[in-house]
């Protein structure tokens, strides 16, 4: 994960991870769809968040409870801000 | 309810909790609305995101009160259970040596995970320190039936003895099994309750990953609730066939009148109000109590978004219009969520309410939530001559266990 990723690559990877978890064809994923819409709720949503954290080596802030209502676009934004908060990986332990 | 069925008296209680040793300090803390949630005390505290917990204070040192000969056999969870059992048995004033009572006394102790501290410590030796041998007592310390076994050994109790696992409903499941053993005539007395001590580094990390922990405090039923606060401790009770208690002139604290158990058979974590209300309804039916006779419900009330909303719906479903007249409180806002021990700590709250006519409050209910629309007894205890009460426990896995208690 050392080489900087293009926005497009990040987006594609997130969509691929969500597609795997939800069983929905990546081509059919809309930015405005929520995880709940995609049938990813409760612990499945928490597991998806874990998959994203592991994949991008990031840590999402702990102050949000309902990932189920996140849209695809919000997830992409959240990954971007978590990547930005991780200049050298030290944020992960904070 | 079968009128010929044996009734169950509770004739002793003991506890160790974030308030220290004793059911008395736990009850008075809850009644007085004093929170025992503190900054997390842990060697890895600076590394984990969780900042608070309701831990048994360092001063409450079980090692000082238990014989040295058994200490090396005991995980922290068994130490807690032994201390609480000793207190309950002393209060009940039973003589197990008389009339073969030891052989007619059961021990049923619930725990969520058993000897987690032992497991974590030995795993650390193995994986972090590359140790080639583990402590020879690792197995007997960590097995989830150890607390029940240790109590049976300490008091020479030879009736049915076993552990019960039901995650956060373990205590209530254990108390229900114990009551059913007495009803079935398999025992006259049962030492029953639950114990938990699982605030290891790995367990804290695992809870963190599930994203259900609050970072500051526990706010059951409040709109700004952010999750649960982990706790630890043990509560152990003496259950006794009513005729046995009466024959020896023992004064019951209350009657364990009914039990209700159900499974959601749905999601592994997300609660279903239908399952919870089924358990409440069954507990009342088993006790022969109408909804209108219940004055108090000690809620599961974890302070997570999902539980508190779902439990409120379940109470509406089980109680109908009487729901609005009930006093409902979550004492987890004070003693934290002691997981497999939580139902036992909360039974102390219910017994206190029945005996003293005071319902302990829910703390930190600082923002009304339209989805949580019952009387949760905010901040300050309420005087109420409680005739009967329910104690709710709902576990991950969708496993529900509810106790119905009546004033003695």
């Amino acid at each position: 994960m050392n080489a900087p990723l293009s926005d497009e690559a990040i987006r594609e990877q997130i969509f691929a991870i969500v597609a795997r978890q939800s069983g929905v064809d990546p081509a059919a994923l809309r930015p405005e769809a929520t995880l709940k819409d995609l049938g990813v709720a409760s612990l499945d949503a928490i597991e998806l968040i874990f998959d994203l954290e592991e994949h991008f080596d990031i840590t999402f802030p702990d102050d949000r409870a309902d990932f189920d209502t996140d849209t695809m676009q919000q997830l992409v934004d959240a990954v971007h801000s978590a990547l930005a908060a991780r200049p050298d990986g030290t944020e992960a332990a904070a | 309810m079968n009128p010929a069925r044996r009734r169950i008296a509770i004739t002793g209680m003991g506890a160790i909790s974030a308030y220290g040793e004793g059911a008395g300090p736990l009850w008075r803390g809850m009644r007085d609305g004093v929170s025992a949630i503190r900054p997390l005390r842990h060697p890895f505290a600076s590394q984990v995101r969780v900042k608070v917990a309701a831990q048994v204070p360092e001063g409450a040192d079980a090692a000082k009160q238990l014989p040295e000969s058994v200490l090396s056999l005991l995980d922290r969870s068994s130490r807690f259970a032994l201390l609480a059992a000793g207190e309950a048995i002393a209060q009940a004033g039973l003589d197990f040596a008389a009339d073969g009572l030891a052989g007619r006394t059961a021990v049923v102790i619930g725990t969520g995970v058993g000897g987690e501290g032992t497991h974590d410590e030995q795993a650390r030796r193995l994986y972090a320190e590359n140790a080639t041998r583990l402590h020879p007592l690792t197995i007997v310390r960590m097995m989830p039936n150890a607390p029940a076994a240790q109590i049976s050994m300490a008091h020479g109790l030879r009736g049915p003895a076993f552990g019960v696992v039901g995650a956060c409903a373990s205590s209530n499941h254990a108390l229900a099994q114990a009551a059913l053993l007495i009803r079935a005539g398999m025992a006259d007395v049962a030492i029953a309750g639950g114990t938990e001590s699982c605030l290891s580094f790995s367990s804290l990390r695992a809870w963190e990953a599930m994203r259900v922990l609050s970072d500051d405090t526990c706010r059951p039923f409040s709109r700004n609730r952010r999750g649960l606060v982990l706790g630890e401790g043990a509560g152990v009770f003496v259950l006794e066939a009513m005729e046995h208690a009466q024959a020896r002139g023992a004064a019951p604290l209350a009657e364990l009148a009914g039990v209700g158990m159900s499974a959601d058979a749905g999601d592994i974590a997300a609660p279903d109000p239908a399952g919870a209300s089924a358990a409440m309804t069954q507990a009342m039916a088993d006790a022969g109590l109408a909804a209108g006779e219940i004055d108090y419900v000690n809620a599961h009330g974890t302070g997570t978004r999902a539980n508190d909303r779902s439990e409120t719906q379940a109470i509406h479903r089980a109680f109908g219009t009487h729901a609005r007249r009930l006093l409902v409180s979550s004492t987890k806002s004070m003693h934290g969520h002691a997981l497999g021990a939580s139902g036992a700590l909360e039974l102390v709250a219910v017994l206190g309410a029945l005996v003293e006519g005071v319902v302990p409050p829910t703390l930190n209910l600082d923002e009304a939530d339209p989805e949580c629309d019952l009387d949760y007894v905010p901040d300050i205890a309420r005087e109420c001559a409680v005739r009967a009460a329910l104690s709710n426990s709902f576990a991950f896995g969708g496993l529900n266990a509810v106790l119905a208690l009546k004033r003695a």
Side-chain angles (χ1 to χ4, degrees):
Chain A
M1 295 302 303
N2 291 328
L5 288 165
S6 71
D7 286 1
E8 194 44 43
I10 289 172
R11 186 180 194 83
E12 272 176 26
Q13 290 173 10
I14 294 171
F15 273 53
I17 290 168
V18 174
R20 198 169 58 224
Q21 176 74 258
S22 64
V24 174
D25 183 346
L29 288 175
R30 319 292 331 157
E32 65 276 12
T34 67
L35 292 182
K36 211 171 187 170
D37 295 340
L38 300 167
V40 182
S42 183
L43 271 192
D44 293 339
I46 300 296
E47 197 181 359
L48 173 67
I49 294 304
F50 170 78
D51 288 344
L52 290 173
E53 287 185 329
E54 287 281 286
H55 182 84
F56 291 103
D57 190 19
I58 53 175
T59 302
F60 287 118
D62 213 16
D63 54 359
R64 316 170 47 238
D66 286 333
F67 291 103
D68 313 30
T69 55
D70 275 9
T71 62
M72 291 301 299
Q73 188 56 50
Q74 282 169 320
L75 275 187
V76 172
D77 296 344
V79 169
H80 277 291
S81 20
L83 283 168
R86 186 198 57 129
D88 55 1
T90 51
E91 283 289 318
Chain B
M1 180 184 137
N2 168 11
R5 195 179 74 187
R6 287 180 117 184
R7 294 167 61 202
I8 314 283
I10 300 179
T11 53
M13 65 174 172
I16 179 163
S17 68
Y19 296 93
E21 291 166 42
L26 169 60
W27 163 244
R28 290 190 290 277
M30 293 187 282
R31 181 195 60 195
D32 299 346
V34 178
S35 174
I37 294 170
R38 298 281 182 274
L40 176 70
R41 219 173 59 229
H42 201 281
F44 293 95
S46 63
Q47 292 184 39
V48 293
R49 290 201 230 175
V50 50
K51 296 296 171 223
V52 292
Q55 294 169 280
V56 170
E58 276 172 294
D61 185 3
K64 281 186 296 198
Q65 299 188 38
L66 296 167
E68 204 163 324
S69 56
V70 301
L71 275 179
S72 69
L73 288 168
L74 305 177
D75 180 78
R76 184 172 164 89
S77 56
S78 287
R79 293 182 182 194
F80 288 171
L82 271 178
L83 278 181
E87 181 188 359
I89 289 168
Q91 181 180 24
L94 285 164
D95 177 7
F96 295 117
D99 303 325
L101 183 59
R104 303 277 305 154
T105 298
V107 184
V108 189
I109 301 295
T111 184
V113 295
E116 166 63 22
T118 297
H119 182 262
D120 190 67
E121 181 189 306
Q122 297 300 316
R124 184 180 159 78
R125 276 173 61 94
L126 190 62
Y127 297 119
E129 296 166 11
N130 296 316
T132 52
R133 74 178 73 84
L134 297 187
H135 196 282
L137 297 176
T138 301
I139 297 293
V140 297
R141 283 178 191 162
M142 66 184 254
M143 58 193 193
N145 60 324
Q150 291 295 340
I151 292 170
S152 81
M153 289 157 61
H155 297 276
L157 308 176
R158 298 172 191 281
F162 51 94
V164 166
V165 292
C168 306
S170 300
S171 282
N172 277 9
H173 274 118
L175 286 154
Q177 300 319 304
L180 296 176
L181 281 174
I182 294 175
R183 275 195 202 160
M186 305 286 287
D188 295 326
V189 170
I191 312 304
T195 187
E196 202 79 84
S197 174
C198 67
L199 301 176
S200 64
F201 185 39
S202 57
S203 172
L204 288 171
R205 279 285 197 227
W207 278 101
E208 209 173 76
M210 209 173 176
R211 294 180 179 271
V212 290
L213 298 184
S214 170
D215 53 0
D216 56 357
T217 194
C218 176
R219 298 183 177 83
F221 305 107
S222 187
R223 187 170 181 162
N224 60 351
R225 63 190 182 274
R226 297 158 67 95
L228 60 89
V229 170
L230 292 169
E232 61 174 355
V236 177
F237 303 84
V238 176
L239 310 189
E240 192 170 351
M242 187 66 82
E243 80 272 8
H244 190 275
Q246 283 166 346
R248 66 185 187 93
L253 295 163
E255 178 178 352
L256 177 51
V259 303
M261 294 171 278
S262 70
D264 292 351
D267 195 274
I268 189 73
D272 180 350
S277 79
M280 285 186 260
T281 304
Q282 191 189 87
M284 289 188 276
D286 187 50
L289 287 164
E293 293 176 89
I294 306 288
D295 296 310
Y296 172 49
V297 175
N298 184 289
H300 188 54
T302 54
T304 63
R305 296 222 68 77
N307 175 81
D308 297 0
R309 179 175 58 216
S310 170
E311 185 169 13
T312 299
Q313 290 169 14
I315 290 172
H316 277 295
R317 203 182 283 212
F319 285 92
T321 54
H322 184 66
R324 305 244 173 235
R325 301 171 62 91
L326 282 173
L327 300 184
V328 178
S329 70
S330 169
T331 49
K332 285 190 179 75
S333 56
M334 297 177 273
H335 56 64
H337 191 349
L339 308 170
S342 64
L345 298 185
E346 288 153 29
L347 185 52
V348 172
V350 173
L351 294 177
L354 288 162
V355 170
E356 289 191 16
V358 178
V359 167
T362 303
L363 294 198
N364 308 317
L365 211 175
D366 32 45
E367 222 177 287
D369 181 347
E371 292 188 308
C372 299
D373 56 357
L374 299 168
D375 181 351
Y376 302 107
V377 195
D379 299 328
I380 298 167
R382 194 94 50 87
E383 285 195 21
C384 171
V386 178
R387 296 163 295 167
L390 295 188
S391 185
N392 285 348
S393 285
F394 311 133
F396 283 152
L399 312 184
N400 312 300
V402 176
L403 306 177
L405 287 301
K406 266 163 77 172
R407 197 158 57 189

